[in-house]
Short mmCIF file of all heavy atoms in Angstrom, two decimals:
data_model
loop_
_atom_site.label_atom_id
_atom_site.label_comp_id
_atom_site.label_asym_id
_atom_site.label_seq_id
_atom_site.Cartn_x
_atom_site.Cartn_y
_atom_site.Cartn_z
N VAL A 1 2.43 23.57 -15.57
CA VAL A 1 1.61 24.32 -16.55
C VAL A 1 1.31 23.42 -17.76
O VAL A 1 0.15 23.36 -18.24
CB VAL A 1 2.29 25.64 -16.98
CG1 VAL A 1 1.55 26.31 -18.10
CG2 VAL A 1 2.41 26.57 -15.78
N ASN A 2 2.31 22.72 -18.26
CA ASN A 2 2.11 21.81 -19.41
C ASN A 2 1.13 20.72 -19.06
O ASN A 2 0.25 20.37 -19.86
CB ASN A 2 3.43 21.19 -19.85
CG ASN A 2 4.33 22.21 -20.53
OD1 ASN A 2 3.88 23.22 -21.04
ND2 ASN A 2 5.62 21.94 -20.51
N GLU A 3 1.25 20.16 -17.87
CA GLU A 3 0.36 19.08 -17.42
C GLU A 3 -1.09 19.60 -17.31
O GLU A 3 -2.03 18.89 -17.69
CB GLU A 3 0.83 18.53 -16.06
CG GLU A 3 0.29 17.19 -15.70
CD GLU A 3 0.74 16.07 -16.62
OE1 GLU A 3 1.93 15.94 -16.90
OE2 GLU A 3 -0.18 15.32 -17.09
N ALA A 4 -1.26 20.80 -16.81
CA ALA A 4 -2.61 21.38 -16.71
C ALA A 4 -3.20 21.58 -18.11
O ALA A 4 -4.39 21.30 -18.33
CB ALA A 4 -2.55 22.72 -15.96
N ALA A 5 -2.40 22.05 -19.04
CA ALA A 5 -2.88 22.24 -20.42
C ALA A 5 -3.27 20.90 -21.03
O ALA A 5 -4.31 20.79 -21.72
CB ALA A 5 -1.81 22.91 -21.25
N LEU A 6 -2.51 19.84 -20.77
CA LEU A 6 -2.86 18.51 -21.30
C LEU A 6 -4.15 18.01 -20.69
O LEU A 6 -4.97 17.42 -21.40
CB LEU A 6 -1.71 17.52 -20.99
CG LEU A 6 -0.44 17.67 -21.82
CD1 LEU A 6 0.67 16.78 -21.27
CD2 LEU A 6 -0.72 17.35 -23.27
N MET A 7 -4.32 18.23 -19.42
CA MET A 7 -5.56 17.77 -18.74
C MET A 7 -6.79 18.46 -19.34
O MET A 7 -7.82 17.84 -19.55
CB MET A 7 -5.47 17.98 -17.24
CG MET A 7 -4.43 17.12 -16.60
SD MET A 7 -4.78 16.86 -14.88
CE MET A 7 -3.66 15.51 -14.55
N ALA A 8 -6.67 19.76 -19.58
CA ALA A 8 -7.78 20.52 -20.17
C ALA A 8 -8.03 20.02 -21.60
O ALA A 8 -9.20 19.83 -21.99
CB ALA A 8 -7.48 22.00 -20.18
N ALA A 9 -6.99 19.77 -22.37
CA ALA A 9 -7.13 19.30 -23.76
C ALA A 9 -7.80 17.93 -23.82
O ALA A 9 -8.58 17.65 -24.73
CB ALA A 9 -5.77 19.28 -24.45
N ARG A 10 -7.47 17.06 -22.86
CA ARG A 10 -8.04 15.71 -22.86
C ARG A 10 -9.56 15.70 -22.77
O ARG A 10 -10.21 14.80 -23.29
CB ARG A 10 -7.48 14.89 -21.70
CG ARG A 10 -6.10 14.33 -22.00
CD ARG A 10 -5.66 13.36 -20.90
NE ARG A 10 -4.23 13.20 -21.01
CZ ARG A 10 -3.34 13.59 -20.12
NH1 ARG A 10 -3.74 14.18 -18.99
NH2 ARG A 10 -2.07 13.42 -20.31
N VAL A 11 -10.12 16.70 -22.11
CA VAL A 11 -11.58 16.73 -21.98
C VAL A 11 -12.20 17.78 -22.94
O VAL A 11 -13.37 18.12 -22.78
CB VAL A 11 -12.00 16.99 -20.51
CG1 VAL A 11 -11.63 15.83 -19.63
CG2 VAL A 11 -11.40 18.29 -19.97
N GLY A 12 -11.41 18.27 -23.86
CA GLY A 12 -11.93 19.16 -24.89
C GLY A 12 -12.15 20.60 -24.47
O GLY A 12 -12.91 21.31 -25.11
N LYS A 13 -11.52 21.05 -23.41
CA LYS A 13 -11.65 22.46 -22.98
C LYS A 13 -10.79 23.37 -23.85
O LYS A 13 -9.72 22.99 -24.27
CB LYS A 13 -11.23 22.62 -21.53
CG LYS A 13 -12.13 21.97 -20.51
CD LYS A 13 -11.58 22.30 -19.13
CE LYS A 13 -12.37 21.68 -18.02
NZ LYS A 13 -11.77 21.98 -16.71
N ARG A 14 -11.33 24.56 -24.11
CA ARG A 14 -10.53 25.56 -24.85
C ARG A 14 -9.68 26.40 -23.91
O ARG A 14 -8.69 26.98 -24.31
CB ARG A 14 -11.46 26.44 -25.67
CG ARG A 14 -12.05 25.69 -26.85
CD ARG A 14 -12.86 26.53 -27.80
NE ARG A 14 -12.50 27.93 -27.81
CZ ARG A 14 -13.37 28.93 -27.78
NH1 ARG A 14 -14.67 28.70 -27.72
NH2 ARG A 14 -12.96 30.17 -27.82
N LEU A 15 -10.11 26.52 -22.66
CA LEU A 15 -9.38 27.31 -21.64
C LEU A 15 -8.95 26.39 -20.51
O LEU A 15 -9.69 25.49 -20.12
CB LEU A 15 -10.25 28.43 -21.08
CG LEU A 15 -10.71 29.50 -22.08
CD1 LEU A 15 -11.66 30.47 -21.39
CD2 LEU A 15 -9.54 30.24 -22.67
N VAL A 16 -7.76 26.64 -19.99
CA VAL A 16 -7.23 25.88 -18.85
C VAL A 16 -7.67 26.57 -17.57
O VAL A 16 -7.36 27.71 -17.34
CB VAL A 16 -5.68 25.79 -18.92
CG1 VAL A 16 -5.16 24.96 -17.75
CG2 VAL A 16 -5.22 25.24 -20.24
N GLY A 17 -8.47 25.84 -16.77
CA GLY A 17 -9.02 26.41 -15.54
C GLY A 17 -8.24 26.04 -14.30
O GLY A 17 -7.30 25.23 -14.33
N MET A 18 -8.67 26.61 -13.19
CA MET A 18 -8.01 26.33 -11.90
C MET A 18 -8.14 24.86 -11.54
O MET A 18 -7.21 24.29 -10.96
CB MET A 18 -8.64 27.23 -10.83
CG MET A 18 -7.80 27.36 -9.59
SD MET A 18 -6.26 28.23 -9.96
CE MET A 18 -5.61 28.45 -8.33
N ALA A 19 -9.25 24.24 -11.88
CA ALA A 19 -9.45 22.80 -11.58
C ALA A 19 -8.39 21.97 -12.32
O ALA A 19 -7.90 20.97 -11.78
CB ALA A 19 -10.84 22.35 -11.96
N ASP A 20 -8.03 22.38 -13.54
CA ASP A 20 -7.02 21.65 -14.28
C ASP A 20 -5.65 21.79 -13.61
O ASP A 20 -4.88 20.83 -13.54
CB ASP A 20 -6.92 22.19 -15.74
CG ASP A 20 -8.26 22.04 -16.47
OD1 ASP A 20 -8.79 20.91 -16.50
OD2 ASP A 20 -8.75 23.04 -17.01
N PHE A 21 -5.36 22.99 -13.09
CA PHE A 21 -4.12 23.17 -12.37
C PHE A 21 -4.08 22.36 -11.08
O PHE A 21 -3.05 21.80 -10.71
CB PHE A 21 -3.88 24.66 -12.05
CG PHE A 21 -3.29 25.41 -13.22
CD1 PHE A 21 -4.10 26.18 -14.06
CD2 PHE A 21 -1.93 25.34 -13.50
CE1 PHE A 21 -3.55 26.86 -15.14
CE2 PHE A 21 -1.40 26.03 -14.57
CZ PHE A 21 -2.20 26.79 -15.40
N GLU A 22 -5.22 22.27 -10.39
CA GLU A 22 -5.29 21.47 -9.17
C GLU A 22 -4.99 19.99 -9.49
O GLU A 22 -4.25 19.33 -8.78
CB GLU A 22 -6.68 21.59 -8.52
CG GLU A 22 -6.83 22.83 -7.68
CD GLU A 22 -5.92 22.89 -6.46
OE1 GLU A 22 -5.71 21.83 -5.81
OE2 GLU A 22 -5.39 23.97 -6.18
N MET A 23 -5.65 19.50 -10.54
CA MET A 23 -5.43 18.08 -10.91
C MET A 23 -4.00 17.84 -11.34
O MET A 23 -3.38 16.82 -11.00
CB MET A 23 -6.39 17.67 -12.02
CG MET A 23 -7.84 17.54 -11.54
SD MET A 23 -8.95 16.79 -12.74
CE MET A 23 -8.84 17.88 -14.13
N ALA A 24 -3.43 18.80 -12.07
CA ALA A 24 -2.04 18.68 -12.50
C ALA A 24 -1.09 18.69 -11.31
O ALA A 24 -0.13 17.88 -11.23
CB ALA A 24 -1.69 19.80 -13.47
N LYS A 25 -1.37 19.57 -10.36
CA LYS A 25 -0.50 19.66 -9.15
C LYS A 25 -0.55 18.35 -8.37
O LYS A 25 0.45 17.83 -7.93
CB LYS A 25 -0.97 20.84 -8.28
CG LYS A 25 -0.10 21.06 -7.07
CD LYS A 25 -0.53 22.31 -6.31
CE LYS A 25 -1.89 22.06 -5.73
NZ LYS A 25 -2.31 23.08 -4.78
N ASP A 26 -1.78 17.79 -8.23
CA ASP A 26 -1.93 16.52 -7.53
C ASP A 26 -1.13 15.44 -8.24
O ASP A 26 -0.47 14.59 -7.60
CB ASP A 26 -3.39 16.13 -7.42
CG ASP A 26 -4.18 17.00 -6.46
OD1 ASP A 26 -3.55 17.78 -5.72
OD2 ASP A 26 -5.42 16.90 -6.45
N LYS A 27 -1.22 15.40 -9.55
CA LYS A 27 -0.54 14.38 -10.31
C LYS A 27 0.99 14.52 -10.17
O LYS A 27 1.70 13.52 -9.96
CB LYS A 27 -0.90 14.43 -11.80
CG LYS A 27 -0.25 13.37 -12.63
CD LYS A 27 -0.67 13.42 -14.08
CE LYS A 27 0.07 12.34 -14.88
NZ LYS A 27 -0.25 12.44 -16.31
N VAL A 28 1.50 15.75 -10.28
CA VAL A 28 2.94 15.99 -10.19
C VAL A 28 3.46 15.68 -8.77
O VAL A 28 4.51 15.06 -8.61
CB VAL A 28 3.29 17.44 -10.58
CG1 VAL A 28 4.71 17.79 -10.25
CG2 VAL A 28 3.02 17.64 -12.08
N MET A 29 2.70 16.07 -7.74
CA MET A 29 3.17 15.91 -6.37
C MET A 29 2.93 14.52 -5.81
O MET A 29 3.76 14.01 -5.06
CB MET A 29 2.47 16.93 -5.45
CG MET A 29 2.88 18.37 -5.71
SD MET A 29 1.96 19.54 -4.75
CE MET A 29 2.85 19.51 -3.23
N MET A 30 1.82 13.89 -6.18
CA MET A 30 1.44 12.62 -5.52
C MET A 30 1.33 11.45 -6.47
O MET A 30 1.07 10.34 -6.04
CB MET A 30 0.12 12.80 -4.77
CG MET A 30 0.18 13.83 -3.69
SD MET A 30 -1.39 14.11 -2.91
CE MET A 30 -2.22 15.15 -4.10
N GLY A 31 1.44 11.68 -7.77
CA GLY A 31 1.30 10.60 -8.73
C GLY A 31 -0.09 10.62 -9.35
O GLY A 31 -0.98 11.31 -8.88
N ALA A 32 -0.23 9.83 -10.38
CA ALA A 32 -1.52 9.77 -11.09
C ALA A 32 -2.57 9.08 -10.24
O ALA A 32 -2.25 8.27 -9.39
CB ALA A 32 -1.33 9.01 -12.42
N GLU A 33 -3.83 9.43 -10.54
CA GLU A 33 -4.95 8.77 -9.84
C GLU A 33 -4.90 7.28 -10.17
O GLU A 33 -4.65 6.89 -11.28
CB GLU A 33 -6.28 9.33 -10.31
CG GLU A 33 -6.57 10.72 -9.84
CD GLU A 33 -7.94 11.20 -10.31
OE1 GLU A 33 -8.76 10.36 -10.78
OE2 GLU A 33 -8.20 12.39 -10.23
N ARG A 34 -5.19 6.47 -9.13
CA ARG A 34 -5.27 5.02 -9.35
C ARG A 34 -6.74 4.62 -9.36
O ARG A 34 -7.24 3.96 -8.43
CB ARG A 34 -4.52 4.29 -8.26
CG ARG A 34 -3.03 4.52 -8.28
CD ARG A 34 -2.31 3.67 -7.27
NE ARG A 34 -2.78 3.97 -5.91
CZ ARG A 34 -2.86 3.08 -4.94
NH1 ARG A 34 -2.51 1.84 -5.11
NH2 ARG A 34 -3.30 3.44 -3.74
N ARG A 35 -7.45 5.01 -10.39
CA ARG A 35 -8.87 4.73 -10.50
C ARG A 35 -9.11 3.23 -10.61
O ARG A 35 -10.18 2.75 -10.27
CB ARG A 35 -9.49 5.43 -11.69
CG ARG A 35 -9.46 6.94 -11.54
CD ARG A 35 -10.87 7.50 -11.49
NE ARG A 35 -10.86 8.97 -11.40
CZ ARG A 35 -11.59 9.61 -10.54
NH1 ARG A 35 -12.38 8.99 -9.71
NH2 ARG A 35 -11.54 10.92 -10.50
N SER A 36 -8.14 2.51 -11.13
CA SER A 36 -8.31 1.06 -11.32
C SER A 36 -8.02 0.28 -10.03
O SER A 36 -8.24 -0.93 -9.98
CB SER A 36 -7.39 0.56 -12.42
OG SER A 36 -6.04 0.79 -12.03
N ALA A 37 -7.57 0.95 -8.97
CA ALA A 37 -7.27 0.26 -7.72
C ALA A 37 -8.55 -0.34 -7.14
O ALA A 37 -9.58 0.33 -7.08
CB ALA A 37 -6.64 1.22 -6.71
N VAL A 38 -8.45 -1.59 -6.74
CA VAL A 38 -9.62 -2.27 -6.16
C VAL A 38 -9.62 -2.00 -4.67
O VAL A 38 -8.80 -2.52 -3.93
CB VAL A 38 -9.55 -3.79 -6.44
CG1 VAL A 38 -10.75 -4.49 -5.82
CG2 VAL A 38 -9.49 -4.05 -7.93
N ILE A 39 -10.55 -1.17 -4.23
CA ILE A 39 -10.64 -0.80 -2.82
C ILE A 39 -12.03 -1.16 -2.36
O ILE A 39 -13.03 -0.73 -2.93
CB ILE A 39 -10.38 0.71 -2.63
CG1 ILE A 39 -8.96 1.03 -3.15
CG2 ILE A 39 -10.52 1.11 -1.18
CD1 ILE A 39 -8.66 2.49 -3.24
N THR A 40 -12.11 -1.94 -1.30
CA THR A 40 -13.39 -2.40 -0.80
C THR A 40 -14.15 -1.23 -0.15
O THR A 40 -13.52 -0.25 0.28
CB THR A 40 -13.21 -3.51 0.23
OG1 THR A 40 -12.54 -2.97 1.39
CG2 THR A 40 -12.40 -4.68 -0.33
N PRO A 41 -15.46 -1.32 -0.04
CA PRO A 41 -16.22 -0.26 0.64
C PRO A 41 -15.75 -0.03 2.08
O PRO A 41 -15.74 1.13 2.53
CB PRO A 41 -17.66 -0.80 0.60
CG PRO A 41 -17.71 -1.67 -0.60
CD PRO A 41 -16.35 -2.30 -0.67
N ASP A 42 -15.33 -1.09 2.80
CA ASP A 42 -14.80 -0.90 4.15
C ASP A 42 -13.54 -0.08 4.15
O ASP A 42 -13.35 0.78 5.02
CB ASP A 42 -14.55 -2.26 4.81
CG ASP A 42 -15.83 -2.93 5.30
OD1 ASP A 42 -16.85 -2.23 5.38
OD2 ASP A 42 -15.81 -4.14 5.59
N GLN A 43 -12.64 -0.33 3.19
CA GLN A 43 -11.41 0.44 3.10
C GLN A 43 -11.70 1.90 2.73
O GLN A 43 -11.06 2.81 3.26
CB GLN A 43 -10.46 -0.18 2.07
CG GLN A 43 -9.84 -1.47 2.53
CD GLN A 43 -9.03 -2.12 1.43
OE1 GLN A 43 -9.42 -2.13 0.26
NE2 GLN A 43 -7.88 -2.70 1.81
N GLN A 44 -12.67 2.11 1.85
CA GLN A 44 -13.05 3.49 1.51
C GLN A 44 -13.62 4.20 2.73
O GLN A 44 -13.30 5.38 2.97
CB GLN A 44 -14.09 3.49 0.38
CG GLN A 44 -13.51 3.16 -0.98
CD GLN A 44 -14.56 3.17 -2.06
OE1 GLN A 44 -15.72 2.82 -1.83
NE2 GLN A 44 -14.19 3.56 -3.25
N LYS A 45 -14.44 3.51 3.49
CA LYS A 45 -15.02 4.12 4.70
C LYS A 45 -13.91 4.48 5.71
O LYS A 45 -13.91 5.59 6.27
CB LYS A 45 -16.01 3.12 5.34
CG LYS A 45 -16.68 3.67 6.57
CD LYS A 45 -17.66 2.64 7.11
CE LYS A 45 -18.32 3.11 8.40
NZ LYS A 45 -19.25 2.09 8.96
N THR A 46 -12.97 3.56 5.90
CA THR A 46 -11.86 3.83 6.82
C THR A 46 -11.05 5.02 6.35
O THR A 46 -10.70 5.91 7.14
CB THR A 46 -10.95 2.58 6.94
OG1 THR A 46 -11.72 1.48 7.43
CG2 THR A 46 -9.78 2.83 7.86
N THR A 47 -10.77 5.06 5.05
CA THR A 47 -9.99 6.18 4.49
C THR A 47 -10.76 7.49 4.66
O THR A 47 -10.16 8.52 5.03
CB THR A 47 -9.69 5.94 3.00
OG1 THR A 47 -8.98 4.71 2.87
CG2 THR A 47 -8.87 7.07 2.40
N ALA A 48 -12.07 7.48 4.44
CA ALA A 48 -12.87 8.70 4.58
C ALA A 48 -12.83 9.21 6.02
O ALA A 48 -12.66 10.41 6.25
CB ALA A 48 -14.30 8.42 4.14
#
């Protein structure tokens, strides 16, 4: 719940939505997003 509230606050939301809870759950269960990870288009295609 705290993580969801933080995620909503980071983007300036006044209300914590279901999408914030989904992102918080993903972060708690699987770790933070690795947006900086260098993944080639071939690797993305394989993963998809």
Side-chain angles (χ1 to χ4, degrees):
V1 172
N2 289 337
E3 198 64 50
L6 287 171
M7 293 204 166
R10 279 189 198 113
V11 293
K13 291 183 181 177
R14 288 186 27 225
L15 296 176
V16 182
M18 198 65 172
D20 300 307
F21 278 99
E22 279 295 321
M23 289 191 300
K25 184 175 67 169
D26 289 350
K27 182 178 179 184
V28 169
M29 292 175 83
M30 298 176 281
E33 288 182 14
R34 293 185 301 147
R35 294 244 182 227
S36 62
V38 179
I39 300 169
T40 66
D42 282 346
Q43 288 174 320
Q44 286 180 326
K45 181 179 178 182
T46 300
T47 302

